[in-house]
Amino acid sequence: MKCRICDHEITPFMSFGKMPIANGFLLPDQYDDEYFFELKPAFCEQCYSFQIDDQPDPELMFHDQYAFFSRTSKFMQHHFSEYAAWVCDNHLSGNDLFVVELGSNDGIMLENFAKRGIRHLGVEPSANVAEEARRHGVDTIVRFFGPETATEIVGKHGQADALLAANVMCHIPDLNGIAEGANRLLKQDGVLVFEDPYLGAMIEKSAYDQIYDEHVFMFSAISVANIFDPHGFELIDLLPQETHGGSMRYVLARKGVRAVSPAVTDIVKAEKAAGLHLPETYQHFRENCEASKARLVRLLQEEKAAGRRVVGYGATSKSTTILNYCGIGPDLIEFISDTTPIKQGKYTPGKHIPVKPYAAFAENYPDTALLFAWNHQKEIMQKEGDFAAQGGKWLTHIGDD
Ligand code: TMP
Ligand code: ZN
């Protein structure tokens, strides 16, 4: 395959096998038509970007039944209010500001700008979540962002001071189109600010479940700089985040227009020390994934042999990679509890484990809970003290016990 960024020939360094759509929760009468593709990550030795080889059509992933609502997590609501405040305090100034967010989901971030009376526009391809955003007072258009959408927005609203994104940029195969869109949309001193799960954190924890259909890229600062450089942008700031199991916030501006924070040099140095630019790092990662798989399957089989009930906690998109890569089905996990109504009563993609409302977990504790929403660990441990107090055990696929 060719690198999506620089056209260099690249070869996947491993395969996670056949995968369904990560957010494709379904009913038994849909099993026969379930879509599968082979999930294979690759690393480009020319521009250092980490990407998956084959990706299903965007229409199969982002549509009017899209099962992911950002607003379901209180912690994320708090996170986005801080994200918005940080952008306002550090990277925006002047009057009559105009801020655009791409992939604005249910408006969880933009509502913080709406409350400040800042002109804003969300660009969101999934009609159902866009509708939810409008209910929260967030102006939203149902579109994929790209050069044409940027031109349309400029025609209607003028150029923007900031283009924002969160957990979206890594979903987009044509980042050159996004960069071109940013070029048209942003004022001369405008900023592009986005955050996504961080390659450095994934490699450090062997958190391979970050790799699924929607995450076509996992970024490092080094790769982000290389992606936007040909379009005239440079990294001017970086801020590591705890969200999604370790994320990075990137700020880019047109070259030479804004001061560059020392964080940029520091983090690029740390990435080189961790070998994020070296192919052997990914061979080592592959070995760690195989070890993690063997461990998790062994632990679940031990639970089963001991007659203990195991329930999954959080039917996350990430869990689709774990369940399908490790071959874990309803024989090892009774059901997965999840607070998102649209997932409840359905079955997990590929392995068809039932998804039940939270009450199914809380009203009849299992012996062991496999924490698929491990990235929300802090929030979940705070509210689930009773489970552990009654002898309940937590498991994750991350760890080496
Ligand atoms: P995410 O990891 O992609 O943010 O998805 C989290 C999923 O976990 C989402 O479907 C909601 C679910 N969830 C729970 O069921 N209980 C919780 O306490 C939290 C935080 C999330
Ligand atoms: Zn490349």
Side-chain angles (χ1 to χ4, degrees):
M1 71 171 287
K2 289 213 185 300
C3 170
R4 289 184 173 82
I5 303 299
C6 73
D7 250 7
H8 186 67
E9 196 63 43
I10 55 176
T11 318
F13 60 83
M14 72 179 289
S15 171
F16 288 100
K18 290 280 171 221
M19 282 290 155
I21 302 293
N23 252 310
F25 295 87
L26 73 177
L27 291 167
D29 65 0
Q30 297 169 306
Y31 290 171
D32 285 348
D33 299 327
E34 197 169 7
Y35 177 89
F36 287 88
F37 69 104
E38 191 178 352
L39 182 62
K40 290 178 292 185
F43 170 72
C44 177
E45 291 179 44
Q46 184 163 281
C47 72
Y48 308 127
S49 67
F50 182 106
Q51 51 200 288
I52 59 172
D53 162 2
D54 187 16
Q55 197 196 28
D57 284 342
E59 288 74 16
L60 286 170
M61 299 183 284
F62 309 110
H63 44 65
D64 62 357
Q65 289 298 307
Y66 187 53
F68 184 78
F69 286 79
S70 301
R71 212 174 279 280
T72 35
S73 164
K74 286 265 171 318
F75 180 86
M76 290 310 282
Q77 291 205 11
H78 177 68
H79 172 75
F80 283 114
S81 109
E82 289 205 326
Y83 185 160
W86 185 85
V87 171
C88 289
D89 294 348
N90 294 284
H91 295 288
L92 285 178
S93 56
N95 300 319
D96 193 28
L97 295 168
F98 178 45
V99 172
V100 177
E101 182 182 1
L102 67 104
S104 45
N105 199 275
D106 52 18
I108 189 170
M109 169 139 73
L110 279 185
E111 72 178 353
N112 297 290
F113 291 92
K115 281 179 196 155
R116 286 177 166 81
I118 294 177
R119 280 201 301 136
H120 65 273
L121 184 68
V123 183
E124 167 55 52
S126 294
N128 62 333
V129 285
E131 191 49 47
E132 180 69 12
R134 291 192 190 114
R135 273 198 284 278
H136 288 269
V138 173
D139 296 334
T140 307
I141 53 172
V142 179
R143 296 271 199 301
F144 283 99
F145 183 83
E148 293 78 31
T149 308
T151 302
E152 183 192 332
I153 296 171
V154 172
K156 257 192 178 149
H157 306 272
Q159 283 190 306
D161 297 277
L163 174 59
L164 312 176
N167 308 312
V168 162
M169 216 55 117
C170 70
H171 293 186
I172 302 175
D174 178 21
L175 284 180
N176 288 315
I178 295 292
E180 176 54 27
N183 242 334
R184 291 190 195 183
L185 179 72
L186 290 173
K187 291 179 184 164
Q188 180 57 20
D189 64 347
V191 283
L192 169 60
V193 189
F194 64 93
E195 61 183 38
D196 279 291
Y198 181 49
L199 180 68
M202 181 186 88
I203 294 294
E204 192 191 323
K205 298 178 186 147
S206 305
Y208 66 85
D209 54 333
Q210 295 285 9
I211 304 169
Y212 57 91
D213 53 12
E214 295 178 18
H215 288 175
V216 58
F217 293 103
M218 282 293 289
F219 298 125
S220 59
I222 297 174
S223 66
V224 165
N226 286 335
I227 292 167
F228 288 94
D229 173 88
H231 300 274
F233 289 99
E234 65 178 349
L235 267 178
I236 60 156
D237 203 0
L238 291 168
L239 191 68
Q241 303 291 313
E242 276 184 24
T243 47
H244 291 285
S247 297
M248 185 67 78
R249 185 175 300 161
Y250 306 90
V251 185
L252 296 113
R254 289 198 173 81
K255 288 177 195 171
V257 172
R258 291 197 178 216
V260 179
S261 150
V264 175
T265 326
D266 293 349
I267 289 173
V268 167
K269 210 165 132 193
E271 289 186 350
K272 291 202 167 145
L276 295 189
H277 61 312
L278 301 173
E280 49 266 37
T281 302
Y282 302 95
Q283 290 304 330
H284 189 58
F285 171 72
R286 176 176 56 77
E287 291 162 12
N288 290 344
C289 292
E290 287 161 3
S292 166
K293 169 180 176 173
R295 169 188 168 273
L296 184 62
V297 171
R298 175 177 53 78
L299 291 174
L300 291 175
Q301 281 169 346
E302 284 170 8
E303 294 292 293
K304 190 181 175 181
R308 293 162 58 82
R309 286 179 61 223
V310 181
V311 159
Y313 196 104
T316 57
S317 4
K318 292 192 286 296
S319 68
T320 296
T321 298
I322 301 175
L323 295 169
N324 288 276
Y325 173 55
C326 299
I328 297 165
D331 56 322
L332 292 175
I333 295 179
E334 195 178 306
F335 64 87
I336 303 182
S337 138
D338 196 284
T339 49
T340 315
I342 199 171
K343 296 182 187 177
Q344 297 161 357
K346 292 191 178 153
Y347 294 80
T348 66
K351 288 294 161 197
H352 307 158
I353 299 172
V355 180
K356 297 195 175 173
Y358 174 68
F361 168 82
E363 288 166 11
N364 182 17
Y365 282 147
D367 299 296
T368 300
L370 178 49
L371 182 60
F372 287 120
W374 59 272
N375 49 307
H376 300 283
Q377 186 156 13
K378 222 185 202 167
E379 176 176 359
I380 292 169
M381 292 308 131
Q382 267 169 17
K383 66 183 180 197
E384 296 298 355
D386 283 356
F387 171 62
Q390 295 193 13
K393 192 167 92 181
W394 288 103
L395 270 187
T396 69
H397 75 302
I398 294 173
D400 46 18
D401 52 331

